[in-house]
Amino acid sequence: MAQQARELTHRLVPSPGGRIHLVEQGTGPLVLLLHGFPECWYSWRHQLPALAAAGYRAAAVDVRGYGRSSRPAGAAAYRMVELVADAAAVVRALGEESAVVVGHDWGSAIAANCALLEPEIFRAVGLLSVPYIPRGGSRPGAVFASLGGDEEFYITRFQREGRAEAEIEPDVRGWLAGFYAALSADTMPPPGAPDPLFVPVDGLLRERFPAGGPPGWLGEDDLDVYAGEFERTGFTGALNRYRAMDRDWEDLAAFDGAPVTRPALYIGGARDAAMSWLAAAIDAQPAVLPGLVSSHLLADCGHWVQQEAPGEVSRLLVDWLDALPR
């Protein structure tokens, strides 16, 4: 059993969009791990063995459009309802009837919608960095376009196919290193420096990335893994998630303002640059997540919480999972 818990198993399983690649470790109740942008299953490399050692079957997927998973054409294929269907298909393909789902960044939004749309399959939800924000208000594209004044928010910059790809893909490794550094506690721009998530309309995101080396959590081998995946796949599949936001707003109209009632956990980084525009959503979580068990903001931690503070995040996840009804 101890040897089995240490082994990583790669699988390709069928999904509505083609196939989903996942990496699993351990035996016990299933915990599905969903990454964000710009990452892959590897962002959960520290949690896989920790969850396995604690008696769980942990499965970290490459979300549709990333890594070794299928990359359907067109932004419509990356709507939230499609990604929730992928997650449900993974649970079934692994021979399980239910799972706990945990997500980071975009994976957090997918995880929350898994618990909202498929509560019989997803019995609890863990959210990292990005809180649950119910559908409502204006179209997301219009909201993000209104931010920044004379500058452009990065999500708006990602909307037109080919624009962000033209900046990123000539130097994938360098761009990733800079993006990770811009949102990491130990390398982010100092107070008073321009916000790395905003950029002049005729400028480049990389112009706001901090000078110097990568963050402490990102070794050269780790960066090689991420760069190798995106150099092979390109960025269009990953960026299409941003390009499907307004379609989500239409698809989920019947769930306007709907709470997620499954048992929930939130973990964020106190120094995450996104806290400036997510603070109100975090404060609102007790109302929109009535099953919220606990909420944590980790000191001296930026956006990449499960990689910047792997031990603490793993401990919080295991403590929460152990307290859930089985």
Side-chain angles (χ1 to χ4, degrees):
M1 180 66 72
Q3 177 64 29
Q4 183 181 18
R6 287 195 297 269
E7 294 176 350
L8 295 175
T9 301
H10 289 255
R11 300 187 189 277
L12 283 168
V13 301
S15 74
R19 296 195 298 177
I20 293 293
H21 169 251
L22 62 91
V23 178
E24 67 170 317
Q25 190 169 11
T27 59
L30 178 62
V31 182
L32 194 64
L33 303 171
L34 307 177
H35 65 82
F37 175 90
E39 301 171 280
C40 64
W41 75 267
Y42 188 75
S43 68
W44 300 104
R45 62 195 177 279
H46 304 293
Q47 285 70 46
L48 284 166
L51 294 176
Y56 295 94
R57 183 186 187 186
V61 309
D62 281 336
V63 173
R64 180 188 297 207
Y66 289 82
R68 303 181 205 177
S69 293
S70 295
R71 299 187 301 279
Y78 297 83
R79 290 148 50 226
M80 187 60 71
V81 292
E82 298 284 352
L83 302 181
V84 170
D86 282 347
V90 168
V91 174
R92 291 191 294 268
L94 294 178
E96 302 287 351
E97 295 182 356
S98 67
V100 174
V101 60
V102 179
H104 170 253
D105 186 77
W106 264 124
S108 176
I110 300 168
N113 280 279
C114 284
L116 176 69
L117 301 179
E118 297 285 359
E120 297 306 311
I121 298 176
F122 298 101
R123 61 187 182 91
V125 58
L127 309 177
L128 274 58
S129 296
V130 175
Y132 172 53
I133 303 174
R135 188 267 189 207
S138 302
R139 288 179 179 271
V143 173
F144 290 125
S146 70
L147 300 178
D150 293 336
E151 295 191 329
E152 189 175 47
F153 192 44
Y154 79 106
I155 291 177
T156 301
R157 175 166 292 258
F158 287 173
Q159 292 304 302
R160 190 173 75 238
E161 184 170 352
R163 187 183 182 200
E165 290 92 328
E167 174 182 343
I168 301 168
E169 291 179 357
D171 178 20
V172 167
R173 197 174 194 277
W175 193 92
L176 286 173
F179 192 75
Y180 295 146
L183 300 179
S184 296
D186 61 340
T187 49
M188 63 177 54
D195 191 325
L197 298 179
F198 293 85
V199 67
V201 175
D202 58 352
L204 299 174
L205 278 167
R206 66 168 61 245
E207 294 169 353
R208 291 282 172 88
F209 294 165
W217 61 265
L218 185 70
E220 292 296 322
D221 291 344
D222 301 322
L223 183 55
D224 285 343
V225 171
Y226 288 124
E229 291 295 88
F230 285 107
E231 285 169 347
R232 180 174 55 81
T233 65
F235 268 78
T236 297
L239 292 165
N240 275 342
R241 172 80 288 270
Y242 293 91
R243 296 163 185 160
M245 293 184 308
D246 285 350
R247 290 175 171 88
D248 297 339
W249 187 82
E250 296 168 359
D251 289 341
L252 300 175
F255 295 89
D256 193 79
V260 168
T261 59
R262 285 306 197 193
L265 167 76
Y266 175 75
I267 305 172
R271 297 187 60 198
D272 189 340
M275 287 299 158
S276 61
W277 53 279
L278 290 176
I282 294 172
D283 291 342
Q285 284 198 120
V288 299
L289 289 175
L292 186 65
V293 174
S294 58
S295 181
H296 309 269
L297 282 180
L298 308 186
D300 297 321
C301 190
H303 182 68
W304 320 103
V305 286
Q306 76 269 35
Q307 298 177 89
E308 292 187 58
E312 190 168 4
V313 168
S314 295
R315 178 185 62 79
L316 290 171
L317 285 174
V318 169
D319 288 349
W320 173 65
L321 289 166
D322 285 350
L324 292 173
R326 296 199 182 190

